[in-house]
Amino acid sequence: MFSQQLVNGITIGSIYVLIALGYSMVYGILQIINFAHADVLMIGTFIGLMFCSGLNVPILPTVILAAFCTALVGMSVERIAYRPVKSENRRMAVLVSALGMSIFLQNLARVIWGSRTHAFPTGIPIKLFEIGTVVITNIQVIIMIVTLLVLAVLYYIVYKTKMGTAMRACSVSIDHAKLMGINANSIVALTFGIGTFMAAIAGICVGTYYDAVYPTMGYILGMKAFAAAILGGIGSIPGAVAGGFIIGIIETLGASYISSGYRDAYAFIIMVVVLIVYPSGLFGAKQLDKV
């Protein structure tokens, strides 16, 4: 029983990891929370549904095409909703703009696709594998493998490329990065694009796993992924990975051994406890303010 729930938790945690990375990457550079991130994920999932169901595109090209389209949406959100108002002295304006964009995207999805829940037909036949007492599906295996591949590519981009060096420089200080000749606006836009690229993959994984897509699906996913980012240390990529897996495992074990009725509450309980006891998170750096 425990082993089975652990596998289920790692599967769900894999999805939270992909979403939490978007929150942490944007916060690491701009020191703001992209509250529209989860709704861009939802738009990306519907784009994937359009390719997969409406145009009968195979699932692998669907994932790639939907992820690139969603990255463009994410970069557009940054250009329209964040860049005109972002400033150290205008944090409230950024927050309001993010919430406004979130509401806009949800209602846009309702207008285009309706409010009902849509099935997500991937054409992948479900297969079961038994390992001792643990039963794992091929969908779960695919989700975990996809997450590992995305993490490997992200590691290469962030730590082995010039663009990654520029991203890390901007995360230390955008002003100093500009003095070194880095185009900060382009780096911020690319960060939004990479984050939403991963979010679209996560959304399609959710649609495949639960066979359901709907306009408000991003809300609860986004809040749990945000809790994961807080747990790991907002702004930390390793923290987002650790936090995502921890939230997924605790949520699944809690639903199994405590109460399934509080499944959605466990992530928020963890977030509150971490904020009280260890605000910087597991991998977050402590901020020292000079007086």
Side-chain angles (χ1 to χ4, degrees):
M1 181 68 173
F2 176 81
S3 301
Q4 182 67 63
Q5 296 305 324
L6 185 63
V7 170
N8 295 339
I10 292 173
T11 304
I12 300 299
S14 299
I15 295 171
Y16 294 157
V17 165
L18 295 177
I19 306 171
L21 284 167
Y23 284 111
S24 282
M25 290 176 67
V26 170
Y27 186 87
I29 293 179
L30 295 180
Q31 303 295 303
I32 62 173
I33 304 299
N34 178 15
F35 283 109
H37 183 63
D39 296 290
V40 176
L41 173 153
M42 175 269 298
I43 294 293
T45 310
F46 271 107
I47 292 173
L49 178 64
M50 182 180 65
F51 280 118
C52 188
S53 180
L55 301 177
N56 295 317
V57 178
I59 185 60
L60 182 57
T62 289
V63 173
I64 297 172
L65 290 171
F68 275 109
C69 291
T70 309
L72 293 177
V73 173
M75 295 170 74
S76 299
V77 167
E78 185 276 331
R79 184 66 181 85
I80 296 169
Y82 290 97
R83 191 178 301 182
V85 297
K86 72 182 182 205
S87 170
E88 291 186 0
N89 300 321
R90 300 176 67 185
R91 294 290 176 86
M92 187 57 67
V94 174
L95 174 62
V96 172
S97 182
L99 293 175
M101 179 57 69
S102 173
I103 294 171
F104 169 77
L105 290 175
Q106 283 190 30
N107 285 277
L108 178 64
R110 288 190 178 98
V111 170
I112 297 175
W113 294 289
S115 299
R116 67 183 180 88
T117 299
H118 300 259
F120 198 95
T122 60
I124 302 176
I126 304 297
K127 296 181 180 179
L128 301 179
F129 305 99
E130 292 186 11
I131 305 175
T133 59
V134 177
V135 177
I136 184 170
T137 68
N138 56 330
I139 300 298
Q140 290 178 302
V141 173
I142 291 171
I143 289 173
M144 288 184 275
I145 290 175
V146 166
T147 299
L148 291 176
L149 289 175
V150 171
L151 289 176
V153 172
L154 180 65
Y155 175 85
Y156 178 80
I157 291 174
V158 173
Y159 295 102
K160 301 295 182 180
T161 66
K162 290 184 178 180
M163 183 178 72
T165 302
M167 291 169 63
R168 286 183 283 124
C170 288
S171 69
V172 175
S173 172
I174 286 184
D175 291 333
H176 288 85
K178 289 179 179 178
L179 292 174
M180 297 301 293
I182 295 173
N183 187 333
N185 284 333
S186 296
I187 295 301
V188 169
L190 286 171
T191 302
F192 271 80
I194 293 172
T196 49
F197 185 96
M198 294 185 293
I201 296 175
I204 293 174
C205 288
V206 171
T208 304
Y209 193 54
Y210 294 108
D211 194 24
V213 181
Y214 48 95
T216 57
M217 64 177 288
Y219 174 75
I220 194 67
L221 286 171
M223 293 305 294
K224 290 180 181 180
F226 179 61
I230 293 293
L231 174 62
I234 190 73
S236 168
I237 291 178
V241 175
F245 283 120
I246 291 172
I247 291 290
I249 292 170
I250 290 178
E251 174 187 317
T252 305
L253 293 177
S256 177
Y257 291 102
I258 301 175
S259 173
S260 60
Y262 295 98
R263 173 184 291 273
D264 293 334
Y266 297 126
F268 304 110
I269 293 171
I270 294 170
M271 181 173 66
V272 170
V273 171
V274 169
L275 288 173
I276 293 173
V277 178
Y278 196 61
S280 60
L282 299 177
F283 291 83
K286 294 182 178 180
Q287 299 293 327
L288 299 177
D289 295 326
K290 294 184 178 180
V291 179

